[in-house]
Amino acid sequence: MIRKILDMSTLDKSLLNELDDYILSLEGKKEEHLIHVLHKAQSLFGYLPQNLQLYIARKLDLPAARVNGVVTFYSFFNEKPVGKYTISVCMGTACFVKGADKVLDRVMEVTGTKKGEMSKDGLFTIKDVRCIGACGLAPVLTINDKVYGKVKPKDVDDIIRHYRSIQNDRK
């Protein structure tokens, strides 16, 4: 396990070079830009595996635990590969009271995916999030940046079918 974390050979060298250039372009104390560097790394690699987190920690001269603490604290950072579409179901109080748990169950059933995992076809990653700030539309789910409000479990099939059809049209 530790050997795997320390193994940087699995990281794409050209992407690491691009990340290095980004870090070098930052002004001031590098460690103050941790979140920006993590966003850049995630945009380049798609997610933040532990060996990449360690690489960033070394580049910013920070403890690896601090980098991992930030990655695991914020829901927008991913430690595992994510699907093309990230489905986030709001589990804030307003959404939960109006049935978000049933919406989440239906999303997992239709996609065949568990929370925090990517579907076998690589299309979807399912997340439950605390609050996305759209309580008036409860229950709410988002797919990437698109917001769906007042979602009922029966609506989930059509929403998922729409994204699958987009994928099929591109083939």
Side-chain angles (χ1 to χ4, degrees):
M1 179 69 174
I2 291 175
R3 177 173 278 172
K4 185 177 177 183
I5 293 170
L6 297 175
D7 183 10
M8 301 295 167
S9 68
T10 59
L11 299 173
D12 184 305
K13 301 278 187 260
S14 64
L15 295 178
L16 285 176
N17 289 337
E18 193 171 335
L19 182 61
D20 288 345
D21 291 344
Y22 177 76
I23 292 171
L24 288 173
S25 73
L26 298 172
E27 295 180 11
K29 295 180 179 179
K30 302 293 185 216
E31 64 270 15
E32 293 176 355
H33 299 284
L34 175 58
I35 290 181
H36 292 106
V37 171
L38 291 171
H39 276 293
K40 181 66 175 180
Q42 185 164 278
S43 74
L44 290 170
F45 290 87
Y47 68 108
L48 301 167
Q50 289 185 327
N51 57 349
L52 181 57
Q53 292 176 42
L54 181 59
Y55 182 85
I56 291 167
R58 289 176 176 168
K59 285 291 179 179
L60 299 181
D61 196 26
L62 290 171
R66 181 167 170 204
V67 173
N68 183 257
V70 170
V71 169
T72 56
F73 180 79
Y74 292 106
S75 63
F76 45 78
F77 292 127
N78 301 300
E79 290 189 285
K80 295 179 181 176
V82 294
K84 182 173 185 175
Y85 304 107
T86 299
I87 302 172
S88 300
V89 179
C90 180
M91 299 303 280
T93 303
C95 287
F96 188 82
V97 168
K98 293 195 173 189
D101 57 329
K102 293 172 184 68
V103 171
L104 177 61
D105 288 345
R106 187 64 188 153
V107 168
M108 291 189 296
E109 184 178 333
V110 171
T111 60
T113 308
K114 296 177 182 174
K115 287 186 291 187
E117 295 185 4
M118 182 173 61
S119 60
K120 289 181 181 173
D121 59 9
L123 279 181
F124 303 104
T125 296
I126 313 301
K127 289 183 170 185
D128 59 342
V129 295
R130 293 183 192 266
C131 182
I132 60 171
C135 302
L137 299 174
V140 174
L141 69 79
T142 62
I143 299 184
N144 293 350
D145 294 331
K146 181 158 178 65
V147 177
Y148 292 87
K150 300 186 187 282
V151 178
K152 298 186 174 22
K154 66 178 180 158
D155 301 332
V156 170
D157 295 58
D158 288 340
I159 294 170
I160 300 301
R161 190 175 307 117
H162 168 72
Y163 285 92
R164 284 190 169 134
S165 72
I166 292 172
Q167 189 63 27
N168 289 335
D169 290 346
R170 291 182 179 162
K171 287 183 180 177

